[in-house]
Amino acid sequence: MADRLSARETVALVTDDFTELPSPERSGHPDGPLGWPGYDAARARAAERTGERESVICGTGDIDGTRAVLIAFEFGFLGGSLGMRTGDRLEAAYAHARAHHLPVVPLVATGGSRMQEGMLALTQLQRVARASALTRQSGLPQIAVLRDPTTGGGWATLGAGADVVLALPGAQVGFAGSRVRPADADPAAYTAEAQVAAGAADALVRPEALRDTLGRWLRLLTRPSTAPAPPPLAPGAAGLPATGWDAVRRARSPLRPRATAYLDAYFTSRVTIGGDRCGGTDPDGMLCGFGEHRGRTVAYAAQTGTATRPAGYRTAARLVRLADRLGIPVLTLVDTPGAANDAEAERQGAGAAIADLFGAVASARTPVTTLVVGEGGSGGALALAAPGNTWATPDSYFSVIAPELAAAILKRPPEEAEKTADQLRIRPQDLVELGVVRGVVGPGGPGRTESAG
């Protein structure tokens, strides 16, 4: 990556009032804990070259209106490697964040653990992981920025372990650094772009947009609230379906509003997370992120009308758990003919992914609100629905199975699918009567709340 910035130049991209934290002092041994010949001289040369005393600087700064703890690696200091003194600084930075209830923003650029300190350097990763976990338990968000390069233990702790992972375009990102990966390895796999495509990072951000992007993320993730998110109104919906098959036709109509229409009308601004952190994404089937609705932050997970892939369910579960930990209410939009049921979906763990989302919603302490906006196809739709706080639009249906498949299972001829739809009682008004949903949200719908909006 061209024009690699120093730690302080990177900090200057995102804040104008960086205040460095005091650095813990550690009495050292000549040439380090292993007595590595020339180690002290190498450190002295690194200090002279960079003006830093260690491979990381830590402090606080205002990022577009939100105070945060910043951790910036100096790659010019021994490759941004982690040693015992680095661990001291990182641990102290996380402790300061917890003491002052501040979010943490690691600006990562590291080649890994420091060879000259051996296993004592590697064990700093355990210290960092524990400090990060304690900060997570305190309900504080961590937003990492991957610079060039981000490899080894720095990627596997401060980077990949963050709640939201942003990356600079073209940065080298991967657990294996360039000198230790197989000679025939595809270099394109070790890039920020590849990590976003694989669901290990959320988005690419250009350096000039970094301050604004971090500012939006920090504002949204540091505004907890306890009130449930109101269900959106159904744009353009009118009247209720006369029959079960009418409900199916309306839900399947290409003319009815989809998730993006609801999200655009509901939020004044929003940011997205992408990927399940297990190597998968489902950008065409599940939209997840955080947005601002009437001055409050609301997390959202929205199906788009297609069959949802396993990665989509895992991304939604990740979203729900993050919102729950940060105390942010969740809005889910149900719209799928069902979970993807092809062989590849099974190989990707469809059942386990759906179970994970069921569990995340069931155990959430933050309020979850659901609106069924289109097709509610079986368990693949129900996994996203909030027990006791699910609503429906006039253009929706919710069914144990698609009427055509129900007819086939019952050994009925295809032409009886319409009759079967009526018997299943899948219309929005049927669902209200059955107690499956609280009400219909939209013009002419029973049970519409005045607070919906």
mmCIF file with all atom_site columns, all heavy atoms in Angstrom, residues 229-232 369-373 386 388-393 396 398 436-441 446-449 451-452:
data_model
loop_
_atom_site.group_PDB
_atom_site.id
_atom_site.type_symbol
_atom_site.label_atom_id
_atom_site.label_alt_id
_atom_site.label_comp_id
_atom_site.label_asym_id
_atom_site.label_entity_id
_atom_site.label_seq_id
_atom_site.pdbx_PDB_ins_code
_atom_site.Cartn_x
_atom_site.Cartn_y
_atom_site.Cartn_z
_atom_site.occupancy
_atom_site.B_iso_or_equiv
_atom_site.pdbx_formal_charge
_atom_site.auth_seq_id
_atom_site.auth_comp_id
_atom_site.auth_asym_id
_atom_site.auth_atom_id
_atom_site.pdbx_PDB_model_num
ATOM 1   N N   . ALA A 1 229 ? -38.259 -0.290  19.529 1.00 0.00 ? 229 ALA A N   1
ATOM 2   C CA  . ALA A 1 229 ? -38.377 0.445   18.272 1.00 0.00 ? 229 ALA A CA  1
ATOM 3   C C   . ALA A 1 229 ? -39.807 0.312   17.767 1.00 0.00 ? 229 ALA A C   1
ATOM 4   O O   . ALA A 1 229 ? -40.362 -0.787  17.752 1.00 0.00 ? 229 ALA A O   1
ATOM 5   C CB  . ALA A 1 229 ? -37.409 -0.123  17.240 1.00 0.00 ? 229 ALA A CB  1
ATOM 6   N N   . PRO A 1 230 ? -40.457 1.413   17.380 1.00 0.00 ? 230 PRO A N   1
ATOM 7   C CA  . PRO A 1 230 ? -41.810 1.296   16.826 1.00 0.00 ? 230 PRO A CA  1
ATOM 8   C C   . PRO A 1 230 ? -41.759 0.635   15.452 1.00 0.00 ? 230 PRO A C   1
ATOM 9   O O   . PRO A 1 230 ? -40.801 0.820   14.699 1.00 0.00 ? 230 PRO A O   1
ATOM 10  C CB  . PRO A 1 230 ? -42.270 2.751   16.715 1.00 0.00 ? 230 PRO A CB  1
ATOM 11  C CG  . PRO A 1 230 ? -41.007 3.538   16.587 1.00 0.00 ? 230 PRO A CG  1
ATOM 12  C CD  . PRO A 1 230 ? -39.977 2.807   17.396 1.00 0.00 ? 230 PRO A CD  1
ATOM 13  N N   . PRO A 1 231 ? -42.777 -0.159  15.096 1.00 0.00 ? 231 PRO A N   1
ATOM 14  C CA  . PRO A 1 231 ? -42.765 -0.764  13.761 1.00 0.00 ? 231 PRO A CA  1
ATOM 15  C C   . PRO A 1 231 ? -42.959 0.304   12.693 1.00 0.00 ? 231 PRO A C   1
ATOM 16  O O   . PRO A 1 231 ? -43.712 1.259   12.891 1.00 0.00 ? 231 PRO A O   1
ATOM 17  C CB  . PRO A 1 231 ? -43.949 -1.730  13.801 1.00 0.00 ? 231 PRO A CB  1
ATOM 18  C CG  . PRO A 1 231 ? -44.852 -1.183  14.857 1.00 0.00 ? 231 PRO A CG  1
ATOM 19  C CD  . PRO A 1 231 ? -43.958 -0.540  15.875 1.00 0.00 ? 231 PRO A CD  1
ATOM 20  N N   . PRO A 1 232 ? -42.293 0.175   11.556 1.00 0.00 ? 232 PRO A N   1
ATOM 21  C CA  . PRO A 1 232 ? -42.496 1.149   10.480 1.00 0.00 ? 232 PRO A CA  1
ATOM 22  C C   . PRO A 1 232 ? -43.915 1.063   9.927  1.00 0.00 ? 232 PRO A C   1
ATOM 23  O O   . PRO A 1 232 ? -44.573 0.026   9.996  1.00 0.00 ? 232 PRO A O   1
ATOM 24  C CB  . PRO A 1 232 ? -41.478 0.709   9.413  1.00 0.00 ? 232 PRO A CB  1
ATOM 25  C CG  . PRO A 1 232 ? -40.510 -0.188  10.117 1.00 0.00 ? 232 PRO A CG  1
ATOM 26  C CD  . PRO A 1 232 ? -41.269 -0.834  11.224 1.00 0.00 ? 232 PRO A CD  1
ATOM 27  N N   . THR A 1 369 ? -38.344 -5.635  17.929 1.00 0.00 ? 369 THR A N   1
ATOM 28  C CA  . THR A 1 369 ? -39.608 -5.406  17.242 1.00 0.00 ? 369 THR A CA  1
ATOM 29  C C   . THR A 1 369 ? -39.504 -5.994  15.845 1.00 0.00 ? 369 THR A C   1
ATOM 30  O O   . THR A 1 369 ? -38.488 -5.814  15.167 1.00 0.00 ? 369 THR A O   1
ATOM 31  C CB  . THR A 1 369 ? -39.912 -3.906  17.129 1.00 0.00 ? 369 THR A CB  1
ATOM 32  O OG1 . THR A 1 369 ? -39.941 -3.321  18.436 1.00 0.00 ? 369 THR A OG1 1
ATOM 33  C CG2 . THR A 1 369 ? -41.240 -3.657  16.425 1.00 0.00 ? 369 THR A CG2 1
ATOM 34  N N   . THR A 1 370 ? -40.561 -6.680  15.398 1.00 0.00 ? 370 THR A N   1
ATOM 35  C CA  . THR A 1 370 ? -40.546 -7.299  14.075 1.00 0.00 ? 370 THR A CA  1
ATOM 36  C C   . THR A 1 370 ? -41.741 -6.826  13.266 1.00 0.00 ? 370 THR A C   1
ATOM 37  O O   . THR A 1 370 ? -42.854 -6.700  13.790 1.00 0.00 ? 370 THR A O   1
ATOM 38  C CB  . THR A 1 370 ? -40.594 -8.833  14.188 1.00 0.00 ? 370 THR A CB  1
ATOM 39  O OG1 . THR A 1 370 ? -39.431 -9.285  14.886 1.00 0.00 ? 370 THR A OG1 1
ATOM 40  C CG2 . THR A 1 370 ? -40.622 -9.486  12.810 1.00 0.00 ? 370 THR A CG2 1
ATOM 41  N N   . LEU A 1 371 ? -41.493 -6.570  11.991 1.00 0.00 ? 371 LEU A N   1
ATOM 42  C CA  . LEU A 1 371 ? -42.567 -6.283  11.045 1.00 0.00 ? 371 LEU A CA  1
ATOM 43  C C   . LEU A 1 371 ? -42.437 -7.254  9.878  1.00 0.00 ? 371 LEU A C   1
ATOM 44  O O   . LEU A 1 371 ? -41.385 -7.327  9.228  1.00 0.00 ? 371 LEU A O   1
ATOM 45  C CB  . LEU A 1 371 ? -42.489 -4.839  10.539 1.00 0.00 ? 371 LEU A CB  1
ATOM 46  C CG  . LEU A 1 371 ? -43.585 -4.422  9.558  1.00 0.00 ? 371 LEU A CG  1
ATOM 47  C CD1 . LEU A 1 371 ? -44.959 -4.464  10.226 1.00 0.00 ? 371 LEU A CD1 1
ATOM 48  C CD2 . LEU A 1 371 ? -43.307 -3.025  9.000  1.00 0.00 ? 371 LEU A CD2 1
ATOM 49  N N   . VAL A 1 372 ? -43.510 -8.022  9.608  1.00 0.00 ? 372 VAL A N   1
ATOM 50  C CA  . VAL A 1 372 ? -43.540 -8.907  8.442  1.00 0.00 ? 372 VAL A CA  1
ATOM 51  C C   . VAL A 1 372 ? -43.992 -8.059  7.268  1.00 0.00 ? 372 VAL A C   1
ATOM 52  O O   . VAL A 1 372 ? -45.119 -7.559  7.244  1.00 0.00 ? 372 VAL A O   1
ATOM 53  C CB  . VAL A 1 372 ? -44.502 -10.091 8.660  1.00 0.00 ? 372 VAL A CB  1
ATOM 54  C CG1 . VAL A 1 372 ? -44.404 -11.076 7.495  1.00 0.00 ? 372 VAL A CG1 1
ATOM 55  C CG2 . VAL A 1 372 ? -44.209 -10.797 9.975  1.00 0.00 ? 372 VAL A CG2 1
ATOM 56  N N   . VAL A 1 373 ? -43.108 -7.875  6.288  1.00 0.00 ? 373 VAL A N   1
ATOM 57  C CA  . VAL A 1 373 ? -43.393 -6.944  5.193  1.00 0.00 ? 373 VAL A CA  1
ATOM 58  C C   . VAL A 1 373 ? -43.716 -7.655  3.891  1.00 0.00 ? 373 VAL A C   1
ATOM 59  O O   . VAL A 1 373 ? -44.104 -7.011  2.915  1.00 0.00 ? 373 VAL A O   1
ATOM 60  C CB  . VAL A 1 373 ? -42.212 -5.970  4.976  1.00 0.00 ? 373 VAL A CB  1
ATOM 61  C CG1 . VAL A 1 373 ? -41.930 -5.182  6.242  1.00 0.00 ? 373 VAL A CG1 1
ATOM 62  C CG2 . VAL A 1 373 ? -40.967 -6.701  4.501  1.00 0.00 ? 373 VAL A CG2 1
ATOM 63  N N   . ALA A 1 386 ? -39.751 -11.492 16.557 1.00 0.00 ? 386 ALA A N   1
ATOM 64  C CA  . ALA A 1 386 ? -39.721 -11.271 18.006 1.00 0.00 ? 386 ALA A CA  1
ATOM 65  C C   . ALA A 1 386 ? -40.948 -11.888 18.655 1.00 0.00 ? 386 ALA A C   1
ATOM 66  O O   . ALA A 1 386 ? -42.082 -11.514 18.322 1.00 0.00 ? 386 ALA A O   1
ATOM 67  C CB  . ALA A 1 386 ? -39.675 -9.779  18.311 1.00 0.00 ? 386 ALA A CB  1
ATOM 68  N N   . GLY A 1 388 ? -43.984 -12.160 20.756 1.00 0.00 ? 388 GLY A N   1
ATOM 69  C CA  . GLY A 1 388 ? -44.807 -11.197 21.474 1.00 0.00 ? 388 GLY A CA  1
ATOM 70  C C   . GLY A 1 388 ? -44.756 -9.783  20.955 1.00 0.00 ? 388 GLY A C   1
ATOM 71  O O   . GLY A 1 388 ? -45.509 -8.922  21.424 1.00 0.00 ? 388 GLY A O   1
ATOM 72  N N   . ASN A 1 389 ? -43.885 -9.488  19.986 1.00 0.00 ? 389 ASN A N   1
ATOM 73  C CA  . ASN A 1 389 ? -43.820 -8.119  19.465 1.00 0.00 ? 389 ASN A CA  1
ATOM 74  C C   . ASN A 1 389 ? -43.592 -8.128  17.963 1.00 0.00 ? 389 ASN A C   1
ATOM 75  O O   . ASN A 1 389 ? -42.721 -7.438  17.441 1.00 0.00 ? 389 ASN A O   1
ATOM 76  C CB  . ASN A 1 389 ? -42.724 -7.314  20.165 1.00 0.00 ? 389 ASN A CB  1
ATOM 77  C CG  . ASN A 1 389 ? -42.884 -5.809  19.950 1.00 0.00 ? 389 ASN A CG  1
ATOM 78  O OD1 . ASN A 1 389 ? -43.987 -5.316  19.719 1.00 0.00 ? 389 ASN A OD1 1
ATOM 79  N ND2 . ASN A 1 389 ? -41.785 -5.083  20.026 1.00 0.00 ? 389 ASN A ND2 1
ATOM 80  N N   . THR A 1 390 ? -44.387 -8.953  17.277 1.00 0.00 ? 390 THR A N   1
ATOM 81  C CA  . THR A 1 390 ? -44.327 -9.041  15.817 1.00 0.00 ? 390 THR A CA  1
ATOM 82  C C   . THR A 1 390 ? -45.585 -8.436  15.225 1.00 0.00 ? 390 THR A C   1
ATOM 83  O O   . THR A 1 390 ? -46.697 -8.683  15.704 1.00 0.00 ? 390 THR A O   1
ATOM 84  C CB  . THR A 1 390 ? -44.170 -10.499 15.361 1.00 0.00 ? 390 THR A CB  1
ATOM 85  O OG1 . THR A 1 390 ? -42.882 -10.974 15.738 1.00 0.00 ? 390 THR A OG1 1
ATOM 86  C CG2 . THR A 1 390 ? -44.313 -10.635 13.854 1.00 0.00 ? 390 THR A CG2 1
ATOM 87  N N   . TRP A 1 391 ? -45.421 -7.641  14.185 1.00 0.00 ? 391 TRP A N   1
ATOM 88  C CA  . TRP A 1 391 ? -46.512 -6.956  13.489 1.00 0.00 ? 391 TRP A CA  1
ATOM 89  C C   . TRP A 1 391 ? -46.481 -7.383  12.024 1.00 0.00 ? 391 TRP A C   1
ATOM 90  O O   . TRP A 1 391 ? -45.511 -7.970  11.557 1.00 0.00 ? 391 TRP A O   1
ATOM 91  C CB  . TRP A 1 391 ? -46.347 -5.440  13.596 1.00 0.00 ? 391 TRP A CB  1
ATOM 92  C CG  . TRP A 1 391 ? -46.262 -4.945  15.008 1.00 0.00 ? 391 TRP A CG  1
ATOM 93  C CD1 . TRP A 1 391 ? -45.187 -5.010  15.843 1.00 0.00 ? 391 TRP A CD1 1
ATOM 94  C CD2 . TRP A 1 391 ? -47.307 -4.336  15.759 1.00 0.00 ? 391 TRP A CD2 1
ATOM 95  N NE1 . TRP A 1 391 ? -45.484 -4.483  17.070 1.00 0.00 ? 391 TRP A NE1 1
ATOM 96  C CE2 . TRP A 1 391 ? -46.784 -4.053  17.051 1.00 0.00 ? 391 TRP A CE2 1
ATOM 97  C CE3 . TRP A 1 391 ? -48.629 -3.999  15.480 1.00 0.00 ? 391 TRP A CE3 1
ATOM 98  C CZ2 . TRP A 1 391 ? -47.544 -3.450  18.038 1.00 0.00 ? 391 TRP A CZ2 1
ATOM 99  C CZ3 . TRP A 1 391 ? -49.384 -3.391  16.473 1.00 0.00 ? 391 TRP A CZ3 1
ATOM 100 C CH2 . TRP A 1 391 ? -48.845 -3.118  17.731 1.00 0.00 ? 391 TRP A CH2 1
ATOM 101 N N   . ALA A 1 392 ? -47.521 -7.073  11.297 1.00 0.00 ? 392 ALA A N   1
ATOM 102 C CA  . ALA A 1 392 ? -47.598 -7.437  9.886  1.00 0.00 ? 392 ALA A CA  1
ATOM 103 C C   . ALA A 1 392 ? -48.133 -6.273  9.076  1.00 0.00 ? 392 ALA A C   1
ATOM 104 O O   . ALA A 1 392 ? -48.840 -5.403  9.598  1.00 0.00 ? 392 ALA A O   1
ATOM 105 C CB  . ALA A 1 392 ? -48.492 -8.666  9.703  1.00 0.00 ? 392 ALA A CB  1
ATOM 106 N N   . THR A 1 393 ? -47.811 -6.250  7.792  1.00 0.00 ? 393 THR A N   1
ATOM 107 C CA  . THR A 1 393 ? -48.360 -5.258  6.873  1.00 0.00 ? 393 THR A CA  1
ATOM 108 C C   . THR A 1 393 ? -49.482 -5.910  6.057  1.00 0.00 ? 393 THR A C   1
ATOM 109 O O   . THR A 1 393 ? -49.587 -7.142  5.995  1.00 0.00 ? 393 THR A O   1
ATOM 110 C CB  . THR A 1 393 ? -47.290 -4.726  5.902  1.00 0.00 ? 393 THR A CB  1
ATOM 111 O OG1 . THR A 1 393 ? -46.969 -5.764  4.949  1.00 0.00 ? 393 THR A OG1 1
ATOM 112 C CG2 . THR A 1 393 ? -46.024 -4.314  6.641  1.00 0.00 ? 393 THR A CG2 1
ATOM 113 N N   . SER A 1 396 ? -48.572 -8.840  3.420  1.00 0.00 ? 396 SER A N   1
ATOM 114 C CA  . SER A 1 396 ? -47.765 -9.942  3.942  1.00 0.00 ? 396 SER A CA  1
ATOM 115 C C   . SER A 1 396 ? -48.604 -11.169 4.258  1.00 0.00 ? 396 SER A C   1
ATOM 116 O O   . SER A 1 396 ? -49.840 -11.093 4.346  1.00 0.00 ? 396 SER A O   1
ATOM 117 C CB  . SER A 1 396 ? -47.039 -9.493  5.210  1.00 0.00 ? 396 SER A CB  1
ATOM 118 O OG  . SER A 1 396 ? -47.952 -9.299  6.280  1.00 0.00 ? 396 SER A OG  1
ATOM 119 N N   . PHE A 1 398 ? -47.874 -15.057 6.681  1.00 0.00 ? 398 PHE A N   1
ATOM 120 C CA  . PHE A 1 398 ? -46.944 -15.863 7.491  1.00 0.00 ? 398 PHE A CA  1
ATOM 121 C C   . PHE A 1 398 ? -47.517 -17.274 7.526  1.00 0.00 ? 398 PHE A C   1
ATOM 122 O O   . PHE A 1 398 ? -48.693 -17.464 7.854  1.00 0.00 ? 398 PHE A O   1
ATOM 123 C CB  . PHE A 1 398 ? -46.843 -15.303 8.915  1.00 0.00 ? 398 PHE A CB  1
ATOM 124 C CG  . PHE A 1 398 ? -45.464 -15.372 9.523  1.00 0.00 ? 398 PHE A CG  1
ATOM 125 C CD1 . PHE A 1 398 ? -45.040 -14.397 10.407 1.00 0.00 ? 398 PHE A CD1 1
ATOM 126 C CD2 . PHE A 1 398 ? -44.583 -16.403 9.212  1.00 0.00 ? 398 PHE A CD2 1
ATOM 127 C CE1 . PHE A 1 398 ? -43.766 -14.438 10.967 1.00 0.00 ? 398 PHE A CE1 1
ATOM 128 C CE2 . PHE A 1 398 ? -43.324 -16.458 9.755  1.00 0.00 ? 398 PHE A CE2 1
ATOM 129 C CZ  . PHE A 1 398 ? -42.916 -15.478 10.639 1.00 0.00 ? 398 PHE A CZ  1
ATOM 130 N N   . VAL A 1 436 ? -50.712 -14.618 16.625 1.00 0.00 ? 436 VAL A N   1
ATOM 131 C CA  . VAL A 1 436 ? -49.346 -14.766 16.123 1.00 0.00 ? 436 VAL A CA  1
ATOM 132 C C   . VAL A 1 436 ? -48.673 -13.403 15.994 1.00 0.00 ? 436 VAL A C   1
ATOM 133 O O   . VAL A 1 436 ? -47.481 -13.258 16.255 1.00 0.00 ? 436 VAL A O   1
ATOM 134 C CB  . VAL A 1 436 ? -49.345 -15.506 14.770 1.00 0.00 ? 436 VAL A CB  1
ATOM 135 C CG1 . VAL A 1 436 ? -47.931 -15.564 14.181 1.00 0.00 ? 436 VAL A CG1 1
ATOM 136 C CG2 . VAL A 1 436 ? -49.904 -16.919 14.943 1.00 0.00 ? 436 VAL A CG2 1
ATOM 137 N N   . VAL A 1 437 ? -49.437 -12.393 15.573 1.00 0.00 ? 437 VAL A N   1
ATOM 138 C CA  . VAL A 1 437 ? -48.911 -11.028 15.473 1.00 0.00 ? 437 VAL A CA  1
ATOM 139 C C   . VAL A 1 437 ? -49.796 -10.109 16.304 1.00 0.00 ? 437 VAL A C   1
ATOM 140 O O   . VAL A 1 437 ? -50.976 -10.414 16.561 1.00 0.00 ? 437 VAL A O   1
ATOM 141 C CB  . VAL A 1 437 ? -48.821 -10.536 14.008 1.00 0.00 ? 437 VAL A CB  1
ATOM 142 C CG1 . VAL A 1 437 ? -47.976 -11.470 13.169 1.00 0.00 ? 437 VAL A CG1 1
ATOM 143 C CG2 . VAL A 1 437 ? -50.204 -10.373 13.399 1.00 0.00 ? 437 VAL A CG2 1
ATOM 144 N N   . ARG A 1 438 ? -49.236 -8.980  16.699 1.00 0.00 ? 438 ARG A N   1
ATOM 145 C CA  . ARG A 1 438 ? -49.966 -8.041  17.560 1.00 0.00 ? 438 ARG A CA  1
ATOM 146 C C   . ARG A 1 438 ? -50.991 -7.225  16.795 1.00 0.00 ? 438 ARG A C   1
ATOM 147 O O   . ARG A 1 438 ? -52.021 -6.833  17.339 1.00 0.00 ? 438 ARG A O   1
ATOM 148 C CB  . ARG A 1 438 ? -48.979 -7.093  18.247 1.00 0.00 ? 438 ARG A CB  1
ATOM 149 C CG  . ARG A 1 438 ? -48.127 -7.761  19.297 1.00 0.00 ? 438 ARG A CG  1
ATOM 150 C CD  . ARG A 1 438 ? -47.223 -6.749  19.996 1.00 0.00 ? 438 ARG A CD  1
ATOM 151 N NE  . ARG A 1 438 ? -47.996 -5.707  20.669 1.00 0.00 ? 438 ARG A NE  1
ATOM 152 C CZ  . ARG A 1 438 ? -47.437 -4.704  21.349 1.00 0.00 ? 438 ARG A CZ  1
ATOM 153 N NH1 . ARG A 1 438 ? -46.111 -4.619  21.428 1.00 0.00 ? 438 ARG A NH1 1
ATOM 154 N NH2 . ARG A 1 438 ? -48.189 -3.808  21.943 1.00 0.00 ? 438 ARG A NH2 1
ATOM 155 N N   . GLY A 1 439 ? -50.677 -6.931  15.537 1.00 0.00 ? 439 GLY A N   1
ATOM 156 C CA  . GLY A 1 439 ? -51.589 -6.103  14.765 1.00 0.00 ? 439 GLY A CA  1
ATOM 157 C C   . GLY A 1 439 ? -51.073 -5.901  13.365 1.00 0.00 ? 439 GLY A C   1
ATOM 158 O O   . GLY A 1 439 ? -49.960 -6.321  13.024 1.00 0.00 ? 439 GLY A O   1
ATOM 159 N N   . VAL A 1 440 ? -51.899 -5.259  12.549 1.00 0.00 ? 440 VAL A N   1
ATOM 160 C CA  . VAL A 1 440 ? -51.525 -4.932  11.180 1.00 0.00 ? 440 VAL A CA  1
ATOM 161 C C   . VAL A 1 440 ? -51.160 -3.464  11.127 1.00 0.00 ? 440 VAL A C   1
ATOM 162 O O   . VAL A 1 440 ? -51.926 -2.604  11.574 1.00 0.00 ? 440 VAL A O   1
ATOM 163 C CB  . VAL A 1 440 ? -52.671 -5.239  10.194 1.00 0.00 ? 440 VAL A CB  1
ATOM 164 C CG1 . VAL A 1 440 ? -52.267 -4.868  8.778  1.00 0.00 ? 440 VAL A CG1 1
ATOM 165 C CG2 . VAL A 1 440 ? -53.049 -6.714  10.272 1.00 0.00 ? 440 VAL A CG2 1
ATOM 166 N N   . VAL A 1 441 ? -50.017 -3.170  10.583 1.00 0.00 ? 441 VAL A N   1
ATOM 167 C CA  . VAL A 1 441 ? -49.529 -1.797  10.498 1.00 0.00 ? 441 VAL A CA  1
ATOM 168 C C   . VAL A 1 441 ? -49.707 -1.308  9.074  1.00 0.00 ? 441 VAL A C   1
ATOM 169 O O   . VAL A 1 441 ? -49.097 -1.819  8.144  1.00 0.00 ? 441 VAL A O   1
ATOM 170 C CB  . VAL A 1 441 ? -48.038 -1.712  10.897 1.00 0.00 ? 441 VAL A CB  1
ATOM 171 C CG1 . VAL A 1 441 ? -47.530 -0.289  10.723 1.00 0.00 ? 441 VAL A CG1 1
ATOM 172 C CG2 . VAL A 1 441 ? -47.844 -2.180  12.323 1.00 0.00 ? 441 VAL A CG2 1
ATOM 173 N N   . PRO A 1 446 ? -56.379 -3.463  11.232 1.00 0.00 ? 446 PRO A N   1
ATOM 174 C CA  . PRO A 1 446 ? -56.750 -3.489  12.650 1.00 0.00 ? 446 PRO A CA  1
ATOM 175 C C   . PRO A 1 446 ? -55.516 -3.570  13.521 1.00 0.00 ? 446 PRO A C   1
ATOM 176 O O   . PRO A 1 446 ? -54.486 -4.109  13.133 1.00 0.00 ? 446 PRO A O   1
ATOM 177 C CB  . PRO A 1 446 ? -57.578 -4.779  12.759 1.00 0.00 ? 446 PRO A CB  1
ATOM 178 C CG  . PRO A 1 446 ? -57.073 -5.665  11.651 1.00 0.00 ? 446 PRO A CG  1
ATOM 179 C CD  . PRO A 1 446 ? -56.706 -4.722  10.533 1.00 0.00 ? 446 PRO A CD  1
ATOM 180 N N   . GLY A 1 447 ? -55.611 -3.017  14.696 1.00 0.00 ? 447 GLY A N   1
ATOM 181 C CA  . GLY A 1 447 ? -54.512 -3.127  15.659 1.00 0.00 ? 447 GLY A CA  1
ATOM 182 C C   . GLY A 1 447 ? -53.356 -2.199  15.374 1.00 0.00 ? 447 GLY A C   1
ATOM 183 O O   . GLY A 1 447 ? -52.310 -2.312  15.974 1.00 0.00 ? 447 GLY A O   1
ATOM 184 N N   . ARG A 1 448 ? -53.554 -1.255  14.452 1.00 0.00 ? 448 ARG A N   1
ATOM 185 C CA  . ARG A 1 448 ? -52.481 -0.305  14.173 1.00 0.00 ? 448 ARG A CA  1
ATOM 186 C C   . ARG A 1 448 ? -52.270 0.588   15.390 1.00 0.00 ? 448 ARG A C   1
ATOM 187 O O   . ARG A 1 448 ? -53.226 1.095   15.968 1.00 0.00 ? 448 ARG A O   1
ATOM 188 C CB  . ARG A 1 448 ? -52.839 0.547   12.963 1.00 0.00 ? 448 ARG A CB  1
ATOM 189 C CG  . ARG A 1 448 ? -51.799 1.627   12.673 1.00 0.00 ? 448 ARG A CG  1
ATOM 190 C CD  . ARG A 1 448 ? -52.231 2.511   11.532 1.00 0.00 ? 448 ARG A CD  1
ATOM 191 N NE  . ARG A 1 448 ? -51.336 3.635   11.353 1.00 0.00 ? 448 ARG A NE  1
ATOM 192 C CZ  . ARG A 1 448 ? -51.563 4.629   10.500 1.00 0.00 ? 448 ARG A CZ  1
ATOM 193 N NH1 . ARG A 1 448 ? -52.653 4.630   9.771  1.00 0.00 ? 448 ARG A NH1 1
ATOM 194 N NH2 . ARG A 1 448 ? -50.706 5.625   10.404 1.00 0.00 ? 448 ARG A NH2 1
ATOM 195 N N   . THR A 1 449 ? -51.014 0.833   15.750 1.00 0.00 ? 449 THR A N   1
ATOM 196 C CA  . THR A 1 449 ? -50.735 1.665   16.910 1.00 0.00 ? 449 THR A CA  1
ATOM 197 C C   . THR A 1 449 ? -50.467 3.097   16.496 1.00 0.00 ? 449 THR A C   1
ATOM 198 O O   . THR A 1 449 ? -49.871 3.356   15.458 1.00 0.00 ? 449 THR A O   1
ATOM 199 C CB  . THR A 1 449 ? -49.499 1.127   17.675 1.00 0.00 ? 449 THR A CB  1
ATOM 200 O OG1 . THR A 1 449 ? -48.374 1.171   16.810 1.00 0.00 ? 449 THR A OG1 1
ATOM 201 C CG2 . THR A 1 449 ? -49.702 -0.289  18.132 1.00 0.00 ? 449 THR A CG2 1
ATOM 202 N N   . SER A 1 451 ? -48.381 4.925   17.913 1.00 0.00 ? 451 SER A N   1
ATOM 203 C CA  . SER A 1 451 ? -46.952 5.212   18.070 1.00 0.00 ? 451 SER A CA  1
ATOM 204 C C   . SER A 1 451 ? -46.133 4.712   16.918 1.00 0.00 ? 451 SER A C   1
ATOM 205 O O   . SER A 1 451 ? -44.940 4.981   16.829 1.00 0.00 ? 451 SER A O   1
ATOM 206 C CB  . SER A 1 451 ? -46.424 4.569   19.356 1.00 0.00 ? 451 SER A CB  1
ATOM 207 O OG  . SER A 1 451 ? -46.566 3.164   19.307 1.00 0.00 ? 451 SER A OG  1
ATOM 208 N N   . ALA A 1 452 ? -46.728 3.924   16.024 1.00 0.00 ? 452 ALA A N   1
ATOM 209 C CA  . ALA A 1 452 ? -45.947 3.397   14.904 1.00 0.00 ? 452 ALA A CA  1
ATOM 210 C C   . ALA A 1 452 ? -45.522 4.541   14.005 1.00 0.00 ? 452 ALA A C   1
ATOM 211 O O   . ALA A 1 452 ? -46.267 5.457   13.724 1.00 0.00 ? 452 ALA A O   1
ATOM 212 C CB  . ALA A 1 452 ? -46.785 2.392   14.115 1.00 0.00 ? 452 ALA A CB  1
#
